[in-house]
Amino acid sequence: MKKGFLLCMVLILCLNAARAQKTYWEVSSYMFENAAQHKGISLELGDGNQLIAYTNNAVTIGNGMDFREILKAFFLNYDVIRDSVNESLSNKLHFFYNPGGKNGLTLIQGKVWSPQYLVVDGKPATMKQGKDTINIYPRNREQQSASVFSFVVNHIEDLRAYLTVNTINDFIEVVNKDIGGQGSTYKPVARGVNFHTFDFQSRFTGTYIIKNGAVEGKLQPVVFRRRNISLSVAASLQNFKSYMTPSFNTSFDLYLKGTSRNEYIRLGAYWEPVFLFDKGMNGKLQTFRNDFAGLIYEYRRSAGNNRLGFYAPISIAYLVRRRGDFFEKNTFNFGIGGIKYGAMTLRPFMYFNDFFRNVSPSVQVSVSWSR
C-alpha cells in the first residue's frame, strides 16, 4: 500500500515537472506583428526609448511577478548570442518567458542597407540604421493569456539599465491601478478567446512618463463599436417549385460592430432580380425577370470568416416587378438562419403571397463579395 502511494506521488511530481518544463517556443512571432497594429499603453523611457504594453484581456498587465527577474532571464538568453548580433542593424527580438520552465528567444535581424558611416573625434563608426525592438511575452503561471511588452530602444543594451531599478514594476502597478479604477467602463476583449489567437485589441490606450522619479499618465478606455457603410453584391442559385432560378443581389449595408472581434450587426436594404426560363408560345426559350426588394437584419459572432458555422440573418422581400406567371401577385420571400463558410452561404427560404397563402419552400446557395 505504501509502495503504491509512493509510486503515485513520484508519478505526480514527474508530471508536474514535465508540465513546468514545457517550452512555449511554438508560440508564433506573428502575435507580435499583430500587436503592433493596435494602440497600446506606452511609457516614455527617455532618450527616444519607449515601452508599449499590449494587453488582450484589459484586466491587468504583467504576470504578477518582478519584471526585473524577467529581464534577467532575457539577458541570460541574449548574452548567449550577443557576439553574433549586428548592432548596426535594426534588430527585432521575441522573448517568451515561461515561469518555472523553459524560455525561448528569437532574433530577427534587420535588413542590410547600404552602410552609413559617422566620424566622431576623427574615429569612424558605422551608423545604426534604426531602433531595436524587444518584444517580451511573460506568460502567467495560471493562464496562457498575458500582455506583450514591446521595448523600442536605441540599443538592446539600453534595457540593462532596468535590471536594477523598479521603473517597469512601477509602471505596471500604476497602470493596473488605473485599470481597476475604470473597471465598470469596459468589457473584456475576448470572451473565451485566448492569447494564441490574433486578437490584440486593447481596451485601453494611454501615455505615461517618468516625472521626478514617479510614473505619471492617464489611461483612456477604447471603444471598439464602429459603424461602417458598404455596398455588397452576391450571385445566388435557388429552387422555386420545379425551377432552378439564378439571381443577383445588390445590398446597401450598415454594419454596427460590437465590442469583440468578429461581432457585428448588419442592417441592409437590397434589390434582387430573379431569373426564370421557359418556352414561349413560339417554342423559343425566354427569360422572365422578377425583381424583389427587401430588408435584412443579421447578427454574427464567429471565430473566423473561413470556418464553417451557423449564422442568423433574417430577411424579407416583396415582389416589386413581375413578369410571367411564375409568381403570384403580392408575393413575399422570407429567410431566416443559414450556414456560412467564407464568402459562401446556404440559406432556407419560403415564398408566399396574401398572408402565407401558397407557401413554397426554397433553398438558396450564394457567393458574396464585400459582405
Side-chain angles (χ1 to χ4, degrees), residues 42-52 131-132 134 150-159 161-162 208 210:
S42 64
L43 172 65
E44 301 297 328
L45 297 172
D47 297 327
N49 294 336
Q50 186 183 51
L51 164 62
I52 306 174
K131 294 187 177 183
D132 295 320
I134 301 98
S150 182
F151 292 87
V152 182
V153 294
N154 297 312
H155 301 279
I156 298 172
E157 294 296 321
D158 291 351
L159 272 188
Y162 302 99
Y208 289 76
I210 302 172

Side-chain angles (χ1 to χ4, degrees), residues 203-228:
R203 289 298 165 191
F204 296 96
T205 184
T207 301
Y208 289 76
I209 61 173
I210 302 172
K211 186 176 180 180
N212 298 325
V215 175
E216 298 181 2
K218 184 177 181 181
L219 202 64
Q220 180 65 41
V222 177
V223 179
F224 279 89
R225 290 188 177 91
R226 301 186 298 272
R227 293 173 174 81
N228 181 39

Side-chain angles (χ1 to χ4, degrees), residues 171-186:
F171 169 66
I172 294 172
E173 182 180 354
V174 170
V175 170
N176 287 339
K177 182 179 179 180
D178 290 346
I179 290 177
Q182 301 192 46
S184 62
T185 65
Y186 69 90

Side-chain angles (χ1 to χ4, degrees), residues 30-40 52 54 198 200-202 224 261:
Y30 79 87
M31 66 166 61
F32 300 110
E33 304 298 333
N34 284 281
Q37 296 176 12
H38 301 279
K39 291 182 179 180
I52 306 174
Y54 303 98
F198 43 82
F200 283 88
Q201 301 176 88
S202 175
F224 279 89
R261 191 179 181 90

Side-chain angles (χ1 to χ4, degrees), residues 75-119:
F75 279 108
L76 183 66
N77 286 268
Y78 172 71
D79 288 341
V80 175
I81 60 170
R82 179 182 175 186
D83 293 339
S84 302
V85 176
N86 188 339
E87 296 183 356
S88 66
L89 302 179
S90 300
N91 299 295
K92 184 176 293 185
L93 294 94
H94 303 317
F95 180 61
F96 308 100
Y97 181 79
N98 179 25
K102 296 181 180 179
N103 306 315
L105 178 65
T106 302
L107 169 66
I108 304 173
Q109 291 192 336
K111 183 178 180 180
V112 179
W113 301 92
S114 299
Q116 301 177 31
Y117 299 96
L118 177 68
V119 178

Side-chain angles (χ1 to χ4, degrees), residues 191 256-264 299-301:
R191 303 184 183 107
L256 306 177
K257 297 191 177 181
T259 57
S260 67
R261 191 179 181 90
N262 291 330
E263 178 185 66
Y264 61 82
Y299 168 79
R300 189 184 303 172
R301 181 183 175 191

Side-chain angles (χ1 to χ4, degrees), residues 187-199:
K187 295 180 180 179
V189 168
R191 303 184 183 107
V193 181
N194 64 28
F195 189 83
H196 295 278
T197 65
F198 43 82
D199 190 352

